[in-house]
Amino acid sequence: MELLIGLISGAVGGNVAGGVMKNLNQGTLINSISGIVGGGIGGQVLGMLGAGGGAGGLDIASILTQVAGGGIGGGAVLAIVGVVKNMMAK
């Protein structure tokens, strides 16, 4: 369940990052895919670090940690994809 929360929040984070950073915006589909990848990675990394819930439960702290990790991870991967794509276009 935590992975699903991370993936969904990653997709949202990727699209929000694309809206904020217009020069890195890749369109809704690529923003979402990048966000999903980043959200999955970000949520798993936070889980391995033990942040948000010791036993991986679905308490409010764990859910908020997954949402934050997914959103940040999604935005980060979108930024990387955008920079690489812009560099390749030159």
Side-chain angles (χ1 to χ4, degrees), residues 31-85:
N31 289 354
S32 295
I33 292 171
S34 299
I36 289 169
V37 170
I41 293 169
Q44 292 301 313
V45 167
L46 284 178
M48 284 188 279
L49 294 175
L58 284 178
D59 60 352
I60 192 71
S62 176
I63 291 171
L64 290 175
T65 301
Q66 289 298 321
V67 169
I72 292 169
V77 170
L78 174 68
I80 293 168
V81 168
V83 167
V84 169
K85 188 171 180 183

Side-chain angles (χ1 to χ4, degrees), residues 13-34:
N15 283 298
V16 167
V20 171
M21 299 180 285
K22 299 288 185 191
N23 60 330
L24 300 179
N25 189 0
Q26 303 298 311
T28 304
L29 180 64
I30 301 299
N31 289 354
S32 295
I33 292 171
S34 299

